Amino acid sequence: MPSSLNALLRPRSVAVIGASRKRKTIAAEVFANLLHSGFTGAVYPVNPASPVVQSVKAWPSVEDIPDPVDLAVIVVPAAQVLDAVEACGRKGVRGIVVITAGFAETGSAGRRRQEAVLERLRHWGMRMVGPNCLGLLNTDPAVGLNATFAPTFPPAGDVAVASQSGALGLAILDHAQRLGVGISQFVSIGNKADVDAADLLAFWEQDAATRVILLYVESLGDPGRFLGLARRVARRKPIAVVKSGRTAAGARAASSHTGSLAGADVAVDALLGQAGVLRVDGIDELFDVAMLLSTQPVPGGPRVAILTNAGGPGIMATDACESRGLEVVRLRPETEAALQAFLPPEASVRNPVDMIASASAQSYARALRLLLDDPEVDAVLLIFVTPIVTDPQDVAAAILAAAEGSDKPLATCLMGTHGVAEASSSLRRHRFPSFAFPEAAVRALAHAVRYGAFLQSPEGSTPALEGFSEGCVSALLGRAPPGWLPPETVEGVLAACGVLTPLQGTATDAAGAAEIAADILARIGAPGGGADLPGARLVVKLIAGTIQHKSDVGGVILGVRTPEAAAAAFDAIRARLAALGREGEMEGALLQEQVASPTELFAGATRDPAFGPLIGFGIGGVNVELWKDIAFRVAPLRDTDARQMPDQLRARALLDGFRGAPPVDRAQIADLLLRLSHLVDTFPRIAELDLNPVLPTARGLVAVDARIRLG
């Protein structure tokens, strides 16, 4: 429960176990920071070798302290940490921070040491931050806690930060102070043996002092728990994450399209994206986002107006907007006319609005007000390059006056040297973000627009699926050994899920192929063998467990119209394999009703070792791995996930009827993805699944080629 972290972040008393008199050591700096940060409670140094530490009476053990202790910060050698934790438990301490390194990060011996600490932690019902961490702090004046060894204490504010890296935590605190970004709480989670990012999300969700949450993590812990919490918390407070490291999924050999496409960091992007979390590429970008979202309203859409006194930066900003999906919108004619009324003839009143170098502070104020009032504009980017004639401080004052009371976000970019730093600081003090360059401002605006779109989207649910028989799937999979399922079993599983497939059958020789072809042709209305029905076609496909991409070896023959042609196709495939020296790998052939469509889709699933099942959707066909135009989500999908996935594709215009092709029914796509999600989430034996291609037809989406591998 979030309240279990109160002892860590809102303690009434703190003991430093291992507090040292020797300054410039970690043990001494942690204690000194607690003394000098304005902590409102009592601080107790624990050091059995010294009666006094930094002019404060010391205690030989935490158990000797006569008053209650909420939080203990442990800074003793790793071999002594377990005894210190045990003493804290007997004392009734509720929270501990283990600064000490030498645990799971060092190998098997350290891992065993960490597990022993965790066992005693659970026994006593305590919560722990660390081990191997920088510590934590809370800038709330009612708390004033600095239980870190960082040399800086950031200004108070409404941005909460968690860092898995202590070294980066130091850089984060220093960067926050340099930018003037106020921090509400900071936690260095270290090895996150107990308290992790998900725990902190739950705590900060309820923390009135926190408006924006920033995370630097190397792993997300339990992905399902993180997704559930982040999805809920992001509806109330923006979350931005720097996630380093890579999953093991990309390193393993993948034998399916989905597996090869879902490598590297795809699972992380999928999870964070569907949770509404903003993933950024570095600490600078993390704080750019924090500066904007902690001070400005969330934009209602992607339409941006750019106001500048220099053409070059305006063009740079325009290019940056377009590359990040923002629209440099056409202003209303009334707005352009109002700008033209007071700007010089040389100025450009079309977006981006270039007031030229002679623009005064008053011109900035009037133009900014007009842009903020234009109903076509969702956000404004203001750029000021220092000329000789205009004082940056005057421009900053004009910006503050013009933007007061606006419900639209304003990002500013003041460029130059003379007076710019002071003007930028003035804007930030008044809660208006100021960036060094236009690209950084645009990058932050793009993240804010994505967050706004997330807030405007429905939360979604997991709907019931008609025609999905879990019992039939269970029976089919229960009898199947590990490996790729035979085509008839795949057909049965998909039918039990309510996924359409073509009429089909398998043959082990040419004569069997002719018999199956005659049966399928008769069932699709071609009793004369197909020659009298122009649309009747079959496709003959190789079956070989060792050959996953059949077209690579000539294992697919299209346009088969008669039983005799089916037998010939069977023999032709066998001959092609024989020419390659692989005839022995042929197990038979699959004969299918040939389905035609100008649009080929792809849907699939793979199981990431850390994140579980991933669902993929994109443009299909033989070039699926070349185009790599696939959207991924972590199962189980909600209906909103399934509806949004097609919109992530670069080639999404193909779904809407490109160059005369019929549009693809988005509801049918969502239904297919929800069925695949339920299948792989319910049956964890399914390791990989490919439907490629999936073809839109009059009767619905048909999975023409399907493969399922059991683990």
Side-chain angles (χ1 to χ4, degrees), residues 100-112:
T100 308
F103 290 86
E105 79 281 3
T106 62
S108 56
R111 191 174 301 111
R112 289 192 296 271

Side-chain angles (χ1 to χ4, degrees), residues 477-486 685-687 708-711:
L477 298 185
R479 297 192 296 266
W484 292 101
L485 295 177
R685 283 196 69 199
I686 297 177
I708 297 175
R709 183 176 68 83
L710 300 186

